[in-house]
Amino acid sequence: QVQMVESGGGSVKVGGSLRLSCAASVYRASTYCMGWFRQAPGKERERVATMDGYGTVVFIAPSAKGRFTVTRDKDKSNLYLEMNSLKPGDTAMYYCAVRRSGGYCSDFDKTDFTNWGQGTQVTVS
């Protein structure tokens, strides 16, 4: 059983900050690509940031670049998203995901990830 648990969401004022956490109970998590996605009501789920098993950021969404920072613990089983200068457009349900398969992490988008958490809500107003 694979379990992904996100936390850290909440309501924040425009310009504020939040740090999201994802705890992944995945065997050999360090070998897998992990990422953050978000989905606002009525919109498609979009990729925010992705890290490979080495802890290298392989993708950051243009809308997040310069404001969001994605990191991964040394054991690679925990993923974080530091969000600064938050905007109303950042309001969404944020999901953590892992791809339990091989391939180039930089090539993977939402349809390529195999396991997802329940999400944590971020509301900016």
Side-chain angles (χ1 to χ4, degrees):
Q1 183 70 33
V2 176
Q3 187 171 358
M4 314 288 289
V5 181
E6 304 98 332
S7 62
S11 297
V12 65
K13 293 182 178 180
V14 175
S17 300
L18 283 173
R19 190 185 192 225
L20 306 184
S21 299
C22 171
S25 297
V26 183
Y27 176 64
R28 297 185 67 186
S30 63
T31 67
Y32 300 130
C33 179
M34 293 183 68
W36 286 100
F37 296 78
R38 67 185 182 187
Q39 187 169 20
K43 296 184 178 180
E44 296 292 322
R45 187 168 298 187
E46 65 174 335
R47 182 169 49 153
V48 178
T50 307
M51 296 190 76
D52 66 15
Y54 295 98
T56 300
V57 179
V58 298
F59 177 83
I60 182 75
S63 62
K65 189 176 182 180
R67 300 188 299 122
F68 292 7
T69 302
V70 61
T71 55
R72 197 166 177 177
D73 278 354
K74 186 176 179 61
D75 66 3
K76 307 300 189 293
S77 63
N78 296 289
L79 190 70
Y80 306 94
L81 186 67
E82 180 71 33
M83 304 185 292
N84 299 303
S85 301
L86 285 162
K87 306 174 181 179
D90 296 317
T91 296
M93 184 72 76
Y94 284 71
Y95 299 91
C96 178
V98 63
R99 175 180 166 85
R100 295 181 64 238
S101 188
Y104 295 104
C105 190
S106 60
D107 294 336
F108 303 142
D109 207 333
K110 60 183 180 182
T111 60
D112 302 304
F113 285 78
T114 57
N115 299 89
W116 298 78
Q118 79 288 345
T120 185
Q121 179 67 39
V122 172
T123 302
V124 185
S125 62

